[in-house]
Each structure stands twice: as structure tokens, then as C-alpha cells.
Amino acid sequence: YNNTTTGPTAVAPGTAATWTYTFPNTNLTNTDSYTIHTQTVDYAGNTSTVATQTFVYDTVAPSSAILTTNASYNAAGFPASLTGTTNDSATGAHGISAVNVSIQDSTSGKCWNGTNFTTATCPNWIAVTSGGTATLGANANWSYSTTGMGAQLTNGDTYTVQVQATDATTSGTQSGALAAGTFLYDS
């Protein structure tokens, strides 16, 4: 056992004695599991039973995404939502807490801003409208409503969808731009 860095301090009976122990994260290995054992001694010299708490150290963001609506569309067949998946199974398997999408027009080089493809530089992250969360290594299925987008698409253009996923850890490590896929608009 090591002494705590701060605390505990003398407290009234029945009150929690808070403490901290500073341990450099450079001593931790990504995706390894760690168990903390704590034991306390009161002023009367009584020693508590050993309490344990386990955590997994995960600093790697999700690293893959798939666009499932990756086809050629015309005005009549354009989907009501773009859909896809991402997961954290290859990088710690702590799950996904949020997903954002960025959709880029191949001709203008601009990204969808929720209204058009004329002003937003890329990537322009917009929260998905449904889904986007998962636990452990399960897929985070997500969808982004295309309401209003169809009228802004240009005939013959390819649209590239990128995903930004947030790890479901305490610090919420965000991925960079994950290539999800493309779709073609051909009216």
C-alpha cells in the first residue's frame, strides 16, 4: 500500500473521508485493466477490509466507420436518412457515446451545413439525428436525416461521408475523420 497524495482528513463520524492518489498515466498501458485496492485505518487503530475498484485504461478513439447508404441515387430514390455504423471493438471496446457526420460535395469541395453545400469548410461535424451510441464492442448504428438535402444535391456529384466517433470513456476521446463511404447523385 502507498500513502495517498492528499487526504484523508479527520472527519465527523459517518462522513466520507475523501482522498486522492496521483499516479502518472505514463505508467499505464492502453486497454489494460487495473484494480485499485484501498484500506483505511481509523483513529482507534481499526483496519478496514480491503476494498477494490477496477478500471480499464483506454486512450484510443474509435477507428472505423461504414456508410450503409452508399449507392447511386436520383431524386425519386434519395433516402430519407443516411445510415451507417461505427464501433470501438478494435480500440478498447468501451463503446461509443456520440457520432457526428460530415458530408462533402466533390465539385464544390464544401460540406453540408444543415442547409446547403455552399459555405461550410470541411470537415463540418453535425450530430447524427438518431442512434450513435453503443456499449462495449457493439456497433453504434446511426442515421442522419436528409430532410432538405435532396434539393441541394448536384447532378453527377459524388458526396463523401466522414464520421467522428466519441469513445464512451470518462474523457470521451474523439476520433479524427473516419472515412465512411460515398454516394453518387445522378438525376
Side-chain angles (χ1 to χ4, degrees):
Y1 290 97
N2 295 305
N3 289 328
T4 59
T5 307
T6 63
T9 57
V11 295
T15 305
T18 59
W19 57 269
T20 60
Y21 181 72
T22 303
F23 187 80
N25 63 358
T26 54
N27 293 319
L28 302 174
T29 302
N30 190 51
T31 71
D32 279 3
S33 178
Y34 297 89
T35 302
I36 300 169
H37 301 270
T38 59
Q39 189 174 46
T40 57
V41 179
D42 67 13
Y43 283 113
N46 300 309
T47 302
S48 71
T49 58
V50 175
T52 61
Q53 181 68 47
T54 301
F55 70 93
V56 176
Y57 186 65
D58 179 2
T59 61
V60 180
S63 60
S64 66
I66 297 170
L67 177 68
T68 54
T69 48
N70 56 351
S72 297
Y73 299 104
N74 60 22
F78 192 62
S81 294
L82 297 176
T83 60
T85 62
T86 188
N87 70 47
D88 190 38
S89 64
T91 56
H94 289 98
I96 306 289
S97 63
V99 172
N100 296 318
V101 293
S102 179
I103 307 160
Q104 184 176 19
D105 181 343
S106 63
T107 299
S108 71
K110 297 290 185 177
C111 276
W112 178 248
N113 65 8
T115 304
N116 59 52
F117 288 95
T118 60
T119 59
T121 57
C122 298
N124 184 52
W125 301 115
I126 300 173
V128 296
T129 50
S130 178
T133 62
T135 58
L136 305 174
N139 281 341
N141 298 310
W142 54 265
S143 67
Y144 178 75
S145 173
T146 60
T147 300
M149 185 184 294
Q152 300 299 315
L153 299 174
T154 302
N155 180 47
D157 283 8
T158 298
Y159 294 85
T160 300
V161 178
Q162 294 180 313
V163 168
Q164 179 187 62
T166 304
D167 213 354
T169 59
T170 304
S171 61
T173 306
Q174 275 189 335
S175 71
L178 304 175
T182 62
F183 66 90
L184 174 67
Y185 187 70
D186 181 0
S187 61

